[in-house]
Amino acid sequence: DTGVSQDPRHKITKRGQNVTFRCDPISEHNRLYWYRQTLGQGPEFLTYFQNEAQLEKSRLLSDRFSAERPKGSFSTLEIQRTEQGDSAMYLCASSLEVDEKLFFGSGTQLSVL
Amino acid sequence: KQEVTQIPAALSVPEGENLVLNCSFTDSAIYNLQWFRQDPGKGLTSLLLIQSSQREQTSGRLNASLDKSSGRSTLYIAASQPGDSATYLCAVNDYKLSFGAGTTVTVRA
């Protein structure tokens, strides 16, 4: 068990570009979550999956954001036409079931110039 | 909508003092509550998880209590050390985690 992996660790991009992040959850974990964290704040919920089904999307997730979890394994989070306000740490977490402990990855730090 | 509040926002203590971090939440229909530690620029490290049926959980110098009816949890850190300096986050699980803004702790040597 290698924990939750996120790639890349850091991403610098120019405004208007598209970016994609990847999350590999702990194997056999059914639930996968995406969070966003800005400086001095706690993580904010973006979306979550139960296996391959995306069950909820936060109002924070504008139509520029899309997330997938094909085959219920790894997940990707894509941001189209990035804006400076998208600069944040994007965190992925997974758990076995809804009442189990969540394990977080190290996050992807996005900087939009 | 679940609201989670952490008080104080920041805390500075001399080495050896005990730390008391508070967390309150608005909706008591939860599965569990987790306390996390976060170092600057890093991800989250889980410290303790308390199931909704439990009153407290202990791990080494850490003890967390949960009073679901009043919507409160407290994290105690005994005999603080400079290595305990970090931000501590409380998160309530009502099918997803809702986080407080955290308490930033500085332990002075």
Side-chain angles (χ1 to χ4, degrees):
Chain A
D1 185 351
T2 57
V4 179
S5 299
Q6 291 189 246
D7 184 69
R9 293 293 305 276
H10 301 91
K11 179 70 176 180
I12 300 173
T13 191
K14 293 182 179 180
R15 188 161 48 99
Q17 298 294 305
N18 299 342
V19 294
T20 299
F21 310 141
R22 177 181 170 120
C23 171
D24 286 272
I26 294 172
S27 60
E28 300 181 354
H29 275 194
N30 299 316
R31 296 172 72 90
L32 186 147
Y33 305 79
W34 284 98
Y35 285 81
R36 180 171 69 187
Q37 186 178 26
T38 53
L39 201 61
Q41 301 298 315
E44 295 175 296
F45 170 79
L46 293 179
T47 188
Y48 85 98
F49 294 82
Q50 174 81 32
N51 299 313
E52 67 273 13
Q54 187 175 19
L55 297 186
E56 184 175 333
K57 293 172 59 174
S58 164
R59 285 172 295 175
L60 294 174
L61 219 61
S62 75
D63 56 6
R64 297 184 297 106
F65 288 71
S66 62
E68 294 183 342
R69 193 184 183 195
K71 303 179 183 178
S73 56
F74 71 92
S75 176
T76 58
L77 178 67
E78 180 183 17
I79 308 174
Q80 296 182 328
R81 305 181 303 282
T82 53
E83 302 173 355
Q84 288 186 326
D86 297 331
S87 296
M89 173 80 86
Y90 289 83
L91 294 162
C92 176
S94 70
S95 68
L96 191 58
E97 294 297 343
V98 66
D99 58 347
E100 300 278 342
K101 180 189 292 189
L102 265 72
F103 294 85
F104 279 81
S106 298
T108 294
Q109 182 67 53
L110 173 66
S111 298
V112 181
L113 305 178
Chain B
K1 177 178 181 286
Q2 184 75 261
E3 301 286 344
V4 182
T5 303
Q6 290 189 247
I7 294 173
L11 191 57
S12 179
V13 299
E15 183 177 3
E17 267 200 20
N18 296 333
L19 292 164
V20 180
L21 310 180
N22 297 299
C23 171
S24 62
F25 50 95
T26 54
D27 189 342
S28 61
I30 63 171
Y31 290 104
N32 53 54
L33 182 147
Q34 273 185 262
W35 282 94
F36 293 88
R37 169 185 171 137
Q38 187 173 35
D39 294 294
K42 305 294 185 182
L44 306 179
T45 301
S46 181
L47 298 175
L48 289 168
L49 178 142
I50 311 177
Q51 295 291 355
S52 62
S53 58
Q54 295 178 313
R55 297 284 294 184
E56 66 178 303
Q57 192 68 245
T58 298
S59 176
R61 294 185 294 112
L62 275 59
N63 174 276
S65 66
L66 174 64
D67 184 342
K68 201 173 68 164
S69 60
S70 67
R72 295 183 181 184
S73 177
T74 302
L75 178 66
Y76 301 90
I77 303 177
S80 61
Q81 305 168 357
D84 295 329
S85 298
T87 296
Y88 292 82
L89 293 157
C90 164
V92 175
N93 183 4
D94 55 7
Y95 77 91
K96 66 180 188 289
L97 286 185
S98 297
F99 285 84
T103 295
T104 298
V105 171
T106 302
V107 181
R108 307 186 304 272

